Structure formats: C-alpha cells, structure tokens
Amino acid sequence: MKHLWIAGAVVSVAALIWLMIKHRRRRGLVKPVVLGAIGAFLLVTGWLFATDAAAPKQEAIKTGGLAAGAIVALYALWLNDRRRRTDEDRQRIESKRQELEIERAEHDRSRVADERFARSVELLGHDAEQVRVGAMHALAGLARSRQEYTQTVLDVLCAYLRRPFDVTREGDGLVRDERELEVRLTAQRLVADLLPRADLDAAPRYNLDLTRAYLEYFDLSHRQVGDLVLRAAHLRESNSLHHAVVRGGAWFTDATSDGRLHLHDMVLHGKAWFSRFRCRQAADFTATRFLGPAKFAGVAFTGPVTFEGGEFAEPVDFEDARFAGGLTLRLAKPVEARKRGLRVSLEHPNALPDGWVVEGREDGGLGLVRS
C-alpha cells in the first residue's frame, strides 16, 4: 500500500502521454481520461497512505475518488466547451452560407432585372405600337419593384417623349399619327405614376428632362419632382402641373403652349425660368409660390394670365414680357420686379384689362401700354 502512489504516478504519466498523442491525432480522448482518473485515484490514495498511516483508509479512498472525479469533471467541461464552440462555428458558417445565398439570389434578381430592362428598351423601337406600350409598362413595373431603376426608367420614358413627332395643322385641327400619340400618352401617364405624391416629404427626388419633348394632356398634378426641364418643349391642348412641388429648378425656357396651362397652387423651390416662353391660351398661376429666383423675361402670353394670390420670394424679372390677354398680379405678398438691373415696387398690383401689356419704362419701372 505504501508504494501505491508510485503506481499511480506511472499510470498518470502514461495517461498524459496517451492523451497528448490522441489529441494530436484528433481521436477520442475517453480512454486516456479514464486511465488518468485511475492514475489520479492511485496517486492520491497511495500518497495519503504513505504520509499518514494512522489516517482512516476510507478518508484516503474518498479523497482519491474526488481527485479521479475532478479529472472526469474537467474532461466533461472541456467537452461541453468544445461542443459550444463547435455549435458557434456551425452557426457562423450557416450564417455566412445564408448571406452568400442571399447575395446570390440578389445577384440573380439583378441579372434578371438587367435583362428585363435591356429587352424592354430594345422593344421601344419595335414597329408595332402595342409592343412599345407593353415595353413601357414592363419598364414601369421594373421601376416599382426595384427603386434603383426608377430614375433610369424615367430617363428612358422622357427620352422617348423627346423623339421627333410630326404634327401639322389643317384648318382647326391637328394632323398627327394617332397610334403613336397613344404610345406617347402612355409614356406621359407612366412618368406621372412613377413620381411620388406631393404630400410625401421624405420621398426620393426624381428629375425629368423633357427638352424639346412633344406633350399633350401632360398631367403632373399633385406630384413632386427634383429638376423639371421643359426647355423648347411643345405643349398641346390642356396641360396640368397644378399642386405639384418642384424641389429643384424648373426650366420652361423657349417652350410653347398652344392650349390651356394649369400651373396654379404649385410650389417651386429653386429657379423658375420662363424666359421667352410662349402661351397662346390662358395660363393660371393662382396661389403658386416661387421660392427661388423667377424670370419671365421675353415671355409672350396671348391669353389671360393670373398670379392671383401667388408669392414671389425674390425679385422677379419681367423684362420685355408681353401679356396681350390681360394680367392679374394681385399677389399674396408685395413683390419687387427686376427690370434692367433696377427694382420697381408692385405694392398695389391690379388686374390688367384686355389689350394691355406690361412694359418697362425709361426710369426702370413697369408701365401699361396697349398691345
């Protein structure tokens, strides 16, 4: 019994070496652990017997058993920790796999969307008008399902509206390709449908470039847009932008309108450039707010024009403006007009009678003369 601890020490060392070999080879460690527990039991029990022969044998055996149990418990804790780390690694790998699957699916959706976009744009050049209409609806559906395409789709639709469109006048009517007109009306309606409503403050901004576009019954009412470019555009029949909000600038330079123009209750945050604008029928700017610089230099309005209840936040330029059908300037707030670099106060603007126009005076003010 006195040399029992020597046997325990030998068994413990052997178990330790075996454990190291097993661990290096990534094999099961149960047998070396059990052997180590036996060695610990023999070592502790034999040591107690050798150092204190008078001690109760049961206490020595109990202490040896606790040492063996501690070895087994440590092994169990190690297994539990290893299992936890394995589960965490598995979860991490699964998470990465799901991310890769999501990225792959998104890549596939993007590829399908790109192909759908390219095919729809290609079909816009088809000879059959129903095919072109279908392509436009496909583009609009793509823009609704994938917001990153919205501005691009709007650019494509605006580019279609900028295509040449032959219109001639015979007597009191217009002669044009009615089938192509239906396609263009579809493009106009889809442009308006893709724009956010004017009452959505946090909506994204989309720009419209309709330079030299032919527009008929164009309706952007109650919509909001970033920049609105209508330079040299041709507006036919009745066109409506009432209650629209323009977050950026609005350019109507050199544009013409043969029909009625509804621009009332608009809010224009940036520049509002109407230089050399031509309008042959009534133009309604009632309650429209010009919050940025406004320029009406060289405009020619044949029909009546009203700015009733409107607001100009900055001096407005009416240089060489002609209002042959009458002008109402009863504004919500007094405004200053800019003429040849000078300012003239319009503190008490009045409606102008038919047949009178506003022209600049030699002193830099505005005067009324017959047209």
Side-chain angles (χ1 to χ4, degrees):
M1 298 292 290
K2 294 182 179 180
H3 301 287
L4 190 61
W5 67 273
I6 298 177
V10 173
V11 173
S12 298
V13 171
L16 179 60
I17 295 174
W18 193 15
L19 181 67
M20 294 175 62
I21 294 174
K22 287 278 189 177
H23 184 267
R24 183 175 300 176
R25 295 179 179 178
R26 297 183 179 278
R27 295 182 179 179
L29 306 179
V30 176
K31 291 180 180 180
V33 169
V34 172
L35 184 61
I38 295 172
F41 172 78
L42 295 176
L43 177 63
V44 173
T45 303
W47 180 262
L48 292 176
F49 284 162
T51 56
D52 189 3
K57 294 182 178 181
Q58 293 181 351
E59 291 298 326
I61 294 173
K62 183 178 180 181
T63 304
L66 290 175
I71 297 295
V72 175
L74 288 175
Y75 176 66
L77 291 174
W78 178 82
L79 280 179
N80 184 65
D81 182 69
R82 183 181 180 183
R83 187 179 299 108
R84 179 186 57 79
R85 287 187 279 109
T86 301
D87 291 340
E88 290 178 352
D89 292 340
R90 185 182 297 110
Q91 291 176 1
R92 191 179 301 109
I93 293 173
E94 181 65 19
S95 178
K96 290 183 178 180
R97 188 188 66 80
Q98 291 178 358
E99 291 176 0
L100 288 175
E101 289 294 333
I102 293 174
E103 291 178 0
R104 185 180 297 109
E106 181 64 24
H107 180 269
D108 291 340
R109 285 194 292 268
S110 297
R111 178 179 55 79
V112 171
D114 291 342
E115 293 175 355
R116 179 182 174 188
F117 175 80
R119 179 58 177 165
S120 299
V121 171
E122 181 181 351
L123 291 176
L124 287 179
H126 200 277
D127 293 336
E129 64 276 2
Q130 64 269 25
V131 175
R132 298 198 297 275
V133 169
M136 290 180 180
H137 280 285
L139 287 172
L142 177 61
R144 295 188 186 98
S145 61
R146 300 184 68 86
Q147 185 177 340
E148 65 271 20
Y149 277 90
T150 303
Q151 182 61 65
T152 303
V153 171
L154 287 171
D155 292 340
V156 171
L157 295 176
C158 289
Y160 190 92
L161 293 172
R162 293 198 301 268
R163 295 174 56 181
F165 184 58
D166 294 330
V167 179
T168 58
R169 182 176 293 277
E170 290 186 3
D172 296 333
L174 297 176
V175 177
R176 60 272 178 100
D177 186 344
E178 294 296 333
R179 291 183 176 180
E180 172 61 17
L181 178 61
E182 287 300 319
V183 179
R184 301 178 72 89
L185 293 176
T186 299
Q188 291 179 186
R189 185 177 67 256
L190 292 176
V191 166
D193 291 343
L194 290 176
L195 293 175
R197 291 188 56 83
D199 55 359
L200 299 178
D201 295 333
R205 292 188 183 183
Y206 299 117
N207 303 320
L208 298 182
D209 184 0
L210 293 165
T211 303
R212 296 186 178 87
Y214 177 90
L215 303 172
E216 187 170 319
Y217 296 109
F218 190 44
D219 187 0
L220 292 185
S221 58
H222 298 280
R223 299 291 176 177
Q224 62 174 295
V225 63
D227 290 331
L228 177 61
V229 182
L230 286 162
R231 292 190 180 98
H234 303 282
L235 306 175
R236 297 290 185 267
E237 303 301 338
S238 177
N239 294 274
S240 300
L241 285 84
H242 61 85
H243 295 89
V245 176
V246 181
R247 300 291 181 183
W251 287 270
F252 290 77
T253 308
D254 294 312
T256 59
S257 174
D258 291 338
R260 296 180 62 85
L261 194 58
H262 304 278
L263 304 175
H264 58 87
D265 295 282
M266 288 185 67
V267 180
L268 297 101
H269 289 266
K271 292 182 178 180
W273 247 236
F274 286 81
S275 302
R276 301 179 301 279
F277 181 73
R278 301 289 184 268
C279 185
R280 294 183 176 88
Q281 293 192 31
D284 187 1
F285 291 89
T286 301
T288 292
R289 301 173 62 199
F290 296 84
L291 304 182
K295 189 171 185 177
F296 287 82
V299 298
F301 288 90
T302 304
V305 181
T306 177
F307 291 89
E308 182 83 31
E311 176 185 345
F312 289 94
E314 299 187 20
V316 56
D317 188 351
F318 281 112
E319 182 174 355
D320 297 327
R322 299 185 65 82
F323 301 91
L327 171 66
T328 300
L329 277 174
R330 283 190 286 264
L331 304 176
K333 296 180 180 180
V335 67
E336 290 182 333
R338 186 167 53 240
K339 170 66 178 174
R340 296 193 182 96
L342 300 176
R343 290 178 172 180
V344 57
S345 175
L346 297 178
E347 296 286 344
H348 304 289
N350 296 310
L352 302 183
D354 292 345
W356 291 78
V357 297
V358 177
E359 287 190 352
R361 299 195 303 261
E362 292 297 329
D363 62 359
L366 296 181
L368 299 181
V369 298
R370 289 189 176 276
S371 60

